Amino acid sequence: MIITVFRDAPLTALGRQQSAALHEATKDNIQWTAELLVSSALRRPLSTTVIGYPELRKRLEAEGKNVVVLPQLQECNDLPCDTGLPREQLEADPEYAGLDFSLLTPDWMSKRGFYACDMSALEARARWNRKWLRSRPEKEIVVVAHGDLLRYITEGYNSHRMWENAEVRAYTFLREEEEDEDGEAWLVPLPGNPVAMEGSASPTSSEIGLPLV
């Protein structure tokens, strides 16, 4: 049996269906209230963003706010499926026309240094993401990312608690920056979670244990 693992794996047909269902579940609520839309730079969340949040994207672009593509939100693993593509290749994809790839630096695909996959680097990257989000002037931000990284961001470590595919959860910051003595920018869940849940639980690539190829 031969298993082919794609570099920066695209969103599957099922994922596209779930993203379309996500649009239906959010088009009359958070897509009218969110003030910023941010996505990981990998293709799966980029396509989820385009398919799942068209109303939000259209409204924000009319205000001069393109989707922010944030390389720091990439998945935790150095598997081929979780390793990104060069900026110019993503910009050439017509599906992603109009997205803001300006934050993608040449090292974003390296899986080294800041983007390394060891626990201390992942904890530091999750902290960076939390602090970046808290520093933004917008009060309601939609973040489209990955299961493993979202656990690091919301819990501080990879608890392996399941996130469903196309699931939306709402969080707020435990403390404002001036009151945050440890500088961790911890998040706490808001009542009413999940906001939306259009897929079923499935293991992340690290939990499947795919081999490096």
Side-chain angles (χ1 to χ4, degrees):
M1 179 179 179
I2 298 175
I3 298 176
T4 301
V5 181
F6 293 97
R7 170 86 175 261
D8 192 3
L11 191 64
T12 64
L14 176 60
R16 289 178 174 273
Q17 293 174 12
Q18 292 170 341
S19 297
L22 173 64
H23 167 57
E24 291 298 318
T26 59
K27 66 180 182 180
D28 295 322
N29 43 67
I30 60 175
Q31 295 204 49
W32 288 104
T33 57
E35 302 167 70
L36 189 67
L37 180 53
V38 185
S39 174
S40 161
L42 295 179
R43 289 191 292 174
R44 300 187 303 282
L46 288 174
S47 295
T48 299
T49 298
V50 169
I51 299 167
Y53 293 101
E55 301 293 342
L56 174 57
R57 182 185 174 192
K58 180 179 178 181
R59 178 171 61 82
L60 292 178
E61 286 180 348
E63 300 171 6
K65 287 185 176 180
N66 286 5
V67 175
V68 176
V69 180
L70 201 62
Q72 292 84 353
L73 287 171
Q74 66 182 275
E75 186 57 300
C76 297
N77 318 295
D78 57 4
L79 299 167
C81 62
D82 293 327
T83 301
L85 297 172
R87 172 180 170 177
E88 56 270 20
Q89 189 170 341
L90 294 171
E91 288 179 326
D93 191 324
E95 183 174 20
Y96 308 139
L99 304 187
D100 181 4
F101 290 99
S102 63
L103 297 177
L104 270 63
T105 54
D107 67 333
W108 91 272
M109 306 171 294
S110 67
K111 299 295 184 178
R112 298 175 182 172
F114 179 81
Y115 296 108
C117 302
D118 60 272
M119 186 178 297
S120 61
L122 293 170
E123 290 173 349
R125 183 149 62 89
R127 184 185 310 113
W128 185 96
N129 278 292
R130 291 193 299 268
K131 294 176 79 170
W132 184 88
L133 290 167
R134 189 173 62 182
S135 74
R136 295 289 308 189
E138 297 87 0
K139 297 302 181 185
E140 187 173 342
I141 300 173
V142 172
V143 176
V144 185
H146 311 267
D148 284 335
L149 185 67
L150 286 170
R151 288 188 283 252
Y152 272 99
I153 290 174
T154 59
E155 300 182 61
Y157 69 106
N158 192 350
S159 67
H160 297 287
R161 293 189 182 95
M162 282 293 183
W163 281 67
E164 314 290 321
N165 289 328
E167 179 178 351
V168 180
R169 300 182 190 178
Y171 292 84
T172 191
F173 288 100
L174 180 62
R175 297 181 182 89
E176 296 297 328
E177 183 175 1
E178 60 273 13
E179 302 170 346
D180 189 5
E181 295 181 0
D182 62 9
E184 289 288 345
W186 293 120
L187 291 162
V188 291
L190 289 171
N193 279 322
V195 176
M197 188 167 59
E198 304 310 315
S200 57
S202 60
T204 61
S205 50
S206 67
E207 291 164 336
I208 294 172
L210 290 172
L212 292 174
V213 296

